[in-house]
Amino acid sequence: MSGVIVTDPPKADLKDVDALAQYGVATVSEAMGRTGLLGPEIRPVQQGVRVAGTAVTVLSWPGDNLMIHAAVEQCGEGDILVVTTTSPCTDGLFGELFATALKQRGVRGVVTGTGIRDTQELRDMGFAAWSRAVSSQGTVKATGGSVNVPIAIDGQVIRPGDVILADDDGVVVVPRERARETALKAEAREAKEAATRAAFIEGQLGLDRYGLRDTLERLGVEYRSYEEYAGETS
């Protein structure tokens, strides 16, 4: 497998990245029309952490982390390392030593479609990580791959410089050209949800706030007292 290391790709503006970091993964995905989500198997190794950053992408051979070493050099302030392999792999490609090097360079976290290890050490050092698996299985450094090229994880294309937002609910990718637009839409959605939350606290029902009683009627859903229902089904 040959490869390429692309230097200085275009990136989303960090002001827009940080604006997106104010909102949850679910809110941002909804703001983009329910798109951009990586699969539910990509899970955090910590809880209560939300990060957003610009993607530095890695395409590696299964069981081989050579290209992660190459990617460290391409990482900088505000980035998130995003790793996948040419075929499914759950080996522990990423661990505490990589995190140490990346944290020193201002990298905000890692998202990988493979496995990671040293999870306790990652939590202790405050380096955020999301992965498909946790595995102690070691790797080699023997096969070429690519850095900062478009990759795909769970059907989502991730380009270098796209925004990666990750929290307890999962991971979403925002195309770099849509970062500002999406942040504004997420802000509007958050305001709408705040108003709904206040209404629910006051006792309003979702059936009424969302006009769902008409939907139930249109679908033929009827209300019956227990006595009526029991009599019809006995």
Side-chain angles (χ1 to χ4, degrees), residues 199-215:
F200 286 172
I201 290 173
E202 293 298 318
Q204 186 177 20
L205 296 174
L207 285 173
D208 298 313
R209 186 166 186 82
Y210 300 134
L212 297 177
R213 295 190 187 277
D214 290 341
T215 301

Side-chain angles (χ1 to χ4, degrees), residues 85-187:
T85 48
T86 57
S87 61
C89 172
T90 56
D91 296 343
L93 268 66
F94 187 95
E96 178 262 338
L97 292 178
F98 275 135
T100 299
L102 291 171
K103 188 173 183 179
Q104 188 274 336
R105 301 177 76 87
V107 174
R108 297 176 175 180
V110 63
V111 172
T112 176
T114 69
I116 61 172
R117 59 185 186 177
D118 305 331
T119 56
Q120 184 63 58
E121 288 80 0
L122 295 180
R123 286 189 291 270
D124 289 345
M125 67 188 293
F127 191 83
W130 286 256
S131 70
R132 191 177 305 280
V134 173
S135 173
S136 297
Q137 179 62 48
T139 58
V140 299
K141 302 162 181 62
T143 310
S146 294
V147 176
N148 277 336
V149 299
I151 61 174
I153 298 178
D154 296 340
Q156 295 297 333
V157 175
I158 302 166
R159 302 167 304 160
D162 284 346
V163 182
I164 300 295
L165 174 67
D167 62 17
D168 289 348
D169 291 339
V171 181
V172 65
V173 55
V174 180
R176 56 182 182 254
E177 302 90 345
R178 297 183 62 189
R180 181 168 302 178
E181 164 203 345
T182 303
L184 292 173
K185 288 182 177 179
E187 180 182 17

Side-chain angles (χ1 to χ4, degrees), residues 7 38-39 43 72 136 181:
T7 61
L38 275 59
R43 301 301 305 149
V72 172
S136 297
E181 164 203 345

Side-chain angles (χ1 to χ4, degrees), residues 22-107:
Q22 300 177 65
Y23 310 108
V25 164
T27 296
V28 170
S29 175
E30 294 278 358
M32 290 196 299
R34 299 181 182 175
T35 63
L37 289 173
L38 275 59
E41 296 83 7
I42 307 295
R43 301 301 305 149
V45 303
Q46 67 285 309
Q47 290 291 300
V49 173
R50 179 188 298 155
V51 298
T54 46
V56 173
T57 61
V58 181
L59 179 63
S60 290
W61 195 258
D64 192 312
N65 67 4
L66 172 63
M67 298 315 295
I68 299 180
H69 284 279
V72 172
E73 183 181 26
Q74 304 305 316
C75 289
E77 189 70 37
D79 286 334
I80 290 180
L81 188 70
V82 186
V83 181
T84 192
T85 48
T86 57
S87 61
C89 172
T90 56
D91 296 343
L93 268 66
F94 187 95
E96 178 262 338
L97 292 178
F98 275 135
T100 299
L102 291 171
K103 188 173 183 179
Q104 188 274 336
R105 301 177 76 87
V107 174

Side-chain angles (χ1 to χ4, degrees), residues 12-23:
D13 192 301
L14 275 182
K15 291 186 296 184
D16 299 325
V17 173
D18 291 340
L20 284 166
Q22 300 177 65
Y23 310 108

